[in-house]
Amino acid sequence: MVDPSKLTRHQPLALGLFRIVFGLLFASQGAASVFGVLGRKAEEVGDWPYWYAGVIELVCGVLIMVGIGTRSAAFLSSGAMAFAYFTVHQKDGLFPLQNGGESPALYCWAFLLLVFTGPGALSLSGLLGARRRAAAPEPSASSI
C-alpha cells in the first residue's frame, strides 16, 4: 500500500501536469476550429458561437498550458464549456452520455478545479515569481 504522505508530497507536480495536458488538449480544439488543422475544417471568422469558442479555447488553452493567468483563463474556459454543454448538448438528453456532451462536461469541471487550485508546479507564473523573489533585495534589520 502506498503511503499517502508520499503522494501528497507530489501534488503540485501532478496538478501542474494535469494543467499542462488539459491546456494542450483545449488549445488543440481551438486551433482546429480557428485554423482548420488536425483534420477539422476551420470555422468561418465571426461565426457565432463556434469561431468565438475556438478563439477562447486556443487562447485560454495556451495560457492554462504555460501557467500564466491560470485561474482567470480556467474560469473563462469553464464558463465557455458550460455554455456549450447547455446550449448545444443538453437539448439532446439529460446526461452527457446521452447527448454527446462528455468533452464539454469534463473540460468544464476540470477547469473549475483549476480555478480553485491554481496552476500547481511547472507554471511560467511560478517561475517568474520565483525569479522576482530571488532578485528582490533582503530587507535590512534597520529598515524593519
Side-chain angles (χ1 to χ4, degrees):
M1 186 152 178
V2 178
D3 179 16
S5 65
K6 289 183 182 181
L7 293 175
T8 302
R9 180 176 55 210
H10 298 291
Q11 276 180 341
L13 180 59
L15 182 60
L17 293 172
F18 173 85
R19 173 187 47 78
I20 290 167
V21 168
F22 266 84
L24 176 64
L25 293 172
F26 203 55
S28 298
Q29 292 276 353
S33 295
V34 173
F35 300 119
V37 295
L38 303 172
R40 189 184 296 165
K41 184 176 172 269
E43 299 293 337
E44 286 289 321
V45 174
D47 183 28
W48 176 258
Y50 302 105
W51 184 81
Y52 293 96
V55 171
I56 290 170
E57 291 167 355
L58 178 59
V59 172
C60 290
V62 169
L63 290 173
I64 290 166
M65 181 176 62
V66 299
I68 295 178
T70 302
R71 292 177 193 260
S72 299
F75 182 76
L76 180 59
S77 299
S78 179
M81 290 297 95
F83 177 83
Y85 182 79
F86 288 112
T87 60
V88 176
H89 298 279
Q90 183 69 50
K91 67 183 183 302
D92 295 329
L94 179 62
F95 295 104
L97 192 58
Q98 293 173 308
N99 62 33
E102 295 95 345
S103 290
L106 288 171
Y107 278 126
C108 178
W109 286 102
F111 291 136
L112 190 61
L113 177 67
L114 289 174
V115 170
F116 289 95
T117 62
L122 308 173
S123 70
L124 200 52
S125 63
L127 178 66
L128 296 174
R131 285 189 179 173
R132 276 191 221 116
R133 287 188 297 275
E138 292 286 327
S140 64
S142 62
S143 66
I144 295 180

